[in-house]
Coordinates of all heavy atoms in Angstrom, one line a residue:
F1 N 73.0 -17.5 103.8 CA 73.9 -17.2 102.7 C 73.2 -17.3 101.4 O 72.1 -17.9 101.3 CB 75.2 -17.9 102.8 CG 75.1 -19.4 102.9 CD1 75.1 -20.3 101.8 CD2 75.0 -20.1 104.2 CE1 74.9 -21.6 102.0 CE2 74.9 -21.4 104.4 CZ 74.9 -22.3 103.2
E2 N 73.7 -16.8 100.3 CA 73.1 -16.7 99.1 C 73.4 -18.0 98.2 O 74.4 -18.7 98.5 CB 73.6 -15.5 98.3 CG 73.3 -14.1 98.9 CD 71.8 -13.9 98.9 OE1 71.1 -14.1 97.9 OE2 71.2 -13.5 99.9
A3 N 72.8 -18.1 97.2 CA 73.0 -19.2 96.2 C 74.3 -18.9 95.5 O 74.8 -17.7 95.5 CB 71.9 -19.1 95.1
L4 N 74.9 -19.9 95.0 CA 76.1 -19.7 94.2 C 75.9 -20.1 92.7 O 75.4 -21.3 92.5 CB 77.3 -20.6 94.8 CG 78.6 -20.3 94.1 CD1 79.6 -19.7 94.9 CD2 79.1 -21.6 93.4
Y5 N 76.1 -19.3 91.8 CA 75.8 -19.4 90.4 C 76.4 -18.4 89.7 O 76.7 -17.3 90.2 CB 74.3 -19.7 90.1 CG 73.5 -18.4 90.3 CD1 73.2 -17.6 89.1 CD2 73.1 -18.0 91.6 CE1 72.4 -16.5 89.2 CE2 72.3 -16.8 91.6 CZ 72.0 -16.2 90.5 OH 71.3 -15.0 90.6
D6 N 76.5 -18.6 88.4 CA 76.8 -17.5 87.4 C 76.2 -17.7 86.1 O 75.4 -18.7 86.0 CB 78.4 -17.3 87.3 CG 79.0 -18.4 86.7 OD1 78.4 -19.2 86.0 OD2 80.3 -18.7 86.9
E7 N 76.4 -16.9 85.2 CA 75.7 -16.9 83.9 C 76.0 -18.2 83.1 O 75.2 -18.6 82.3 CB 75.9 -15.7 83.0 CG 77.3 -15.5 82.6 CD 77.5 -14.2 81.9 OE1 76.7 -13.2 82.1 OE2 78.6 -14.0 81.3
D8 N 77.1 -18.8 83.5 CA 77.6 -20.1 82.7 C 77.2 -21.3 83.4 O 77.3 -22.5 82.9 CB 79.1 -20.1 82.6 CG 79.5 -18.9 81.5 OD1 78.8 -18.6 80.7 OD2 80.6 -18.4 81.9
S9 N 76.5 -21.3 84.5 CA 76.0 -22.4 85.2 C 75.0 -23.1 84.4 O 74.2 -22.6 83.8 CB 75.3 -22.0 86.6 OG 76.1 -21.3 87.3
R10 N 75.3 -24.5 84.3 CA 74.4 -25.4 83.4 C 73.7 -26.4 84.4 O 72.7 -27.0 83.8 CB 75.2 -26.0 82.3 CG 75.8 -25.1 81.3 CD 76.3 -25.9 80.2 NE 77.2 -27.0 80.6 CZ 78.6 -26.7 80.6 NH1 79.1 -25.7 80.2 NH2 79.4 -27.8 80.9
I11 N 74.2 -26.7 85.5 CA 73.6 -27.7 86.5 C 73.3 -27.0 87.7 O 74.1 -26.3 88.2 CB 74.7 -28.7 86.7 CG1 75.3 -29.3 85.3 CG2 74.3 -29.8 87.7 CD1 76.6 -30.0 85.6
L12 N 72.0 -27.3 88.2 CA 71.7 -26.8 89.5 C 71.5 -27.9 90.6 O 70.7 -28.9 90.2 CB 70.4 -26.0 89.4 CG 69.8 -25.6 90.7 CD1 70.7 -24.6 91.5 CD2 68.4 -24.8 90.3
V13 N 72.3 -28.0 91.5 CA 72.3 -29.1 92.5 C 71.6 -28.3 93.7 O 72.1 -27.3 94.3 CB 73.7 -29.4 93.0 CG1 73.5 -30.5 94.1 CG2 74.3 -30.2 91.8
L14 N 70.4 -28.9 94.2 CA 69.7 -28.3 95.3 C 69.7 -29.3 96.6 O 69.4 -30.4 96.5 CB 68.3 -28.3 95.0 CG 68.0 -27.3 93.9 CD1 66.6 -27.3 93.3 CD2 68.2 -25.8 94.3
G15 N 70.1 -28.7 97.8 CA 70.1 -29.3 98.9 C 68.7 -28.9 99.6 O 67.9 -28.3 99.0
S16 N 68.5 -29.3 100.8 CA 67.2 -29.0 101.6 C 67.4 -27.7 102.2 O 66.8 -26.7 101.9 CB 66.8 -30.1 102.5 OG 67.9 -30.4 103.3
F17 N 68.2 -27.7 103.2 CA 68.5 -26.6 104.1 C 69.8 -26.8 104.8 O 70.2 -27.9 105.0 CB 67.5 -26.4 105.3 CG 67.4 -25.1 105.9 CD1 66.9 -23.9 105.2 CD2 67.8 -25.0 107.2 CE1 66.9 -22.7 105.9 CE2 67.9 -23.7 107.9 CZ 67.4 -22.6 107.2
P18 N 70.6 -25.7 104.9 CA 72.1 -25.9 105.5 C 72.1 -26.5 106.9 O 71.4 -26.2 107.7 CB 72.7 -24.6 105.4 CG 71.6 -23.6 105.1 CD 70.3 -24.4 104.7
S19 N 73.1 -27.4 107.1 CA 73.3 -28.0 108.5 C 73.9 -27.0 109.3 O 74.2 -25.9 108.9 CB 74.3 -29.1 108.3 OG 75.6 -28.6 107.9
V20 N 73.9 -27.3 110.6 CA 74.4 -26.4 111.5 C 75.9 -25.9 111.1 O 76.2 -24.7 111.1 CB 74.4 -27.0 112.9 CG1 75.4 -26.1 114.0 CG2 73.2 -27.2 113.5
K21 N 76.7 -26.9 110.7 CA 78.0 -26.6 110.3 C 78.1 -25.7 109.1 O 79.0 -24.8 109.0 CB 78.9 -27.8 110.0 CG 79.3 -28.7 111.3 CD 80.4 -27.9 112.0 CE 80.8 -28.8 113.1 NZ 81.6 -28.0 114.2
S22 N 77.2 -26.0 108.1 CA 77.2 -25.0 107.0 C 76.7 -23.7 107.3 O 77.2 -22.7 106.8 CB 76.2 -25.6 105.9 OG 76.8 -26.9 105.4
R23 N 75.8 -23.5 108.2 CA 75.3 -22.3 108.7 C 76.4 -21.5 109.4 O 76.5 -20.3 109.2 CB 74.1 -22.4 109.6 CG 72.8 -23.0 108.8 CD 71.6 -22.9 109.5 NE 71.4 -23.5 110.9 CZ 70.9 -24.7 111.2 NH1 70.4 -25.5 110.1 NH2 70.9 -25.2 112.4
E24 N 77.3 -22.2 110.1 CA 78.4 -21.5 110.8 C 79.3 -21.0 109.9 O 79.9 -20.0 109.9 CB 79.0 -22.6 111.8 CG 78.2 -22.9 113.0 CD 78.9 -24.1 113.8 OE1 79.9 -24.5 113.4 OE2 78.3 -24.3 114.8
Q25 N 79.7 -21.8 108.9 CA 80.7 -21.5 107.8 C 80.0 -20.5 106.7 O 80.8 -19.8 106.0 CB 81.2 -22.6 107.0 CG 82.0 -23.6 107.9 CD 82.4 -24.9 107.2 OE1 82.5 -24.8 105.9 NE2 82.8 -25.8 107.9
K26 N 78.7 -20.4 106.7 CA 78.1 -19.6 105.6 C 78.4 -20.2 104.2 O 78.6 -19.3 103.3 CB 78.3 -18.1 105.9 CG 77.5 -17.6 107.1 CD 77.6 -16.1 107.2 CE 77.0 -15.5 108.5 NZ 76.4 -16.2 109.5
F27 N 78.5 -21.5 104.1 CA 78.7 -22.0 102.8 C 78.2 -23.4 102.8 O 78.0 -24.2 103.8 CB 80.1 -22.0 102.4 CG 80.3 -22.1 100.9 CD1 80.0 -21.1 100.1 CD2 81.0 -23.2 100.4 CE1 80.1 -21.2 98.6 CE2 81.0 -23.4 98.9 CZ 80.6 -22.5 98.2
F28 N 77.9 -24.0 101.6 CA 77.4 -25.1 101.3 C 78.2 -26.4 101.8 O 79.3 -26.4 101.6 CB 77.0 -25.4 99.8 CG 76.1 -24.3 99.3 CD1 76.6 -23.2 98.7 CD2 74.8 -24.3 99.5 CE1 75.8 -22.2 98.2 CE2 73.9 -23.3 99.2 CZ 74.5 -22.2 98.5
Y29 N 77.6 -27.5 102.3 CA 78.1 -28.7 102.6 C 79.4 -28.5 103.5 O 80.5 -29.0 103.2 CB 78.4 -29.5 101.3 CG 77.1 -29.6 100.5 CD1 77.0 -28.9 99.3 CD2 76.2 -30.5 100.9 CE1 75.7 -29.0 98.6 CE2 75.0 -30.5 100.2 CZ 74.7 -29.8 99.0 OH 73.6 -29.9 98.3
G30 N 79.3 -27.9 104.6 CA 80.3 -27.6 105.5 C 80.6 -28.5 106.6 O 81.7 -28.6 107.2
H31 N 79.7 -29.6 106.8 CA 80.0 -30.6 107.7 C 81.3 -31.5 107.2 O 81.1 -31.9 106.0 CB 78.9 -31.5 108.0 CG 79.0 -32.5 109.1 ND1 79.9 -33.5 109.1 CD2 78.4 -32.4 110.4 CE1 79.8 -34.1 110.2 NE2 78.9 -33.5 111.0
P32 N 82.3 -31.6 107.9 CA 83.4 -32.3 107.4 C 83.2 -33.8 106.9 O 83.8 -34.4 106.1 CB 84.4 -32.4 108.6 CG 83.6 -32.0 109.7 CD 82.4 -31.3 109.2
Q33 N 82.0 -34.4 107.4 CA 81.7 -35.8 106.9 C 80.7 -35.8 105.8 O 80.3 -36.9 105.3 CB 81.2 -36.5 108.2 CG 82.3 -36.9 109.1 CD 81.8 -37.5 110.4 OE1 80.7 -37.2 110.8 NE2 82.6 -38.2 111.1
N34 N 80.2 -34.6 105.4 CA 79.4 -34.6 104.2 C 80.3 -34.9 103.0 O 81.3 -34.4 102.8 CB 78.7 -33.4 104.0 CG 77.5 -33.4 102.9 OD1 77.8 -33.7 101.8 ND2 76.4 -33.0 103.3
R35 N 79.8 -35.8 102.1 CA 80.6 -36.3 101.0 C 80.3 -35.6 99.7 O 81.0 -36.0 98.7 CB 80.4 -37.8 100.8 CG 80.9 -38.6 102.2 CD 80.2 -39.9 102.2 NE 78.9 -40.0 102.5 CZ 78.1 -41.0 102.5 NH1 78.6 -42.2 102.3 NH2 76.8 -40.9 102.6
F36 N 79.7 -34.5 99.7 CA 79.4 -33.7 98.6 C 80.8 -33.3 97.8 O 80.8 -33.5 96.6 CB 78.6 -32.4 98.9 CG 78.4 -31.6 97.6 CD1 77.3 -31.9 96.9 CD2 79.2 -30.6 97.4 CE1 77.1 -31.1 95.6 CE2 78.9 -29.7 96.2 CZ 77.9 -30.0 95.3
W37 N 81.7 -32.8 98.4 CA 82.9 -32.4 97.8 C 83.7 -33.6 97.2 O 84.3 -33.4 96.1 CB 83.7 -31.4 98.7 CG 82.9 -30.2 99.0 CD1 82.3 -29.9 100.3 CD2 82.4 -29.1 98.1 NE1 81.6 -28.8 100.2 CE2 81.8 -28.2 98.8 CE3 82.7 -28.9 96.9 CZ2 81.1 -27.2 98.4 CZ3 82.2 -27.7 96.3 CH2 81.3 -26.9 97.1
Q38 N 83.8 -34.6 97.9 CA 84.6 -35.7 97.5 C 83.8 -36.3 96.3 O 84.4 -36.8 95.3 CB 84.5 -36.9 98.6 CG 85.5 -36.5 99.9 CD 85.4 -37.7 100.8 OE1 84.3 -37.6 101.6 NE2 86.2 -38.6 100.9
V39 N 82.4 -36.4 96.3 CA 81.7 -37.0 95.3 C 81.8 -36.2 94.0 O 82.2 -36.8 92.9 CB 80.3 -37.2 95.7 CG1 79.3 -37.6 94.4 CG2 80.1 -38.3 96.7
T40 N 81.6 -34.9 94.1 CA 81.7 -34.1 92.9 C 83.0 -34.0 92.4 O 83.2 -33.9 91.2 CB 81.1 -32.6 93.1 OG1 81.7 -32.1 94.3 CG2 79.5 -32.7 93.4
A41 N 84.0 -33.9 93.2 CA 85.4 -33.9 92.7 C 85.8 -35.2 92.0 O 86.3 -35.2 90.8 CB 86.5 -33.8 93.9
A42 N 85.2 -36.4 92.5 CA 85.5 -37.7 91.7 C 84.7 -37.6 90.4 O 85.2 -38.0 89.3 CB 85.0 -38.8 92.6
V43 N 83.5 -37.1 90.4 CA 82.6 -37.0 89.2 C 83.3 -36.2 88.0 O 83.3 -36.6 86.9 CB 81.2 -36.5 89.5 CG1 80.5 -36.1 88.2 CG2 80.5 -37.6 90.2

C-alpha cells in the first residue's frame, strides 16, 4: 500500500515494513496489539 501524507503533513513517522496483519488490511499498524494508535491518540 501507499504512503499516507498530504501537503500539510509536518511530521513523518516511519515504520520498517508492514506486519502480516497490516499487509492484510493494507494499512499501517493493523495488528490489534500494536500500540501506535493508542500512543498517538494520547499524545
Side-chain angles (χ1 to χ4, degrees):
F1 49 92
E2 293 296 317
L4 185 110
Y5 69 98
D6 63 23
E7 62 187 16
D8 294 323
S9 298
R10 294 190 309 262
I11 302 158
L12 175 57
V13 176
L14 296 167
S16 53
F17 195 73
S19 68
V20 171
K21 288 287 185 198
S22 294
R23 294 191 303 258
E24 287 171 1
Q25 292 179 17
K26 294 193 180 355
F27 199 69
F28 303 95
Y29 306 107
H31 192 290
Q33 292 171 331
N34 191 303
R35 296 164 291 176
F36 178 82
W37 299 108
Q38 289 175 283
V39 168
T40 54
V43 164

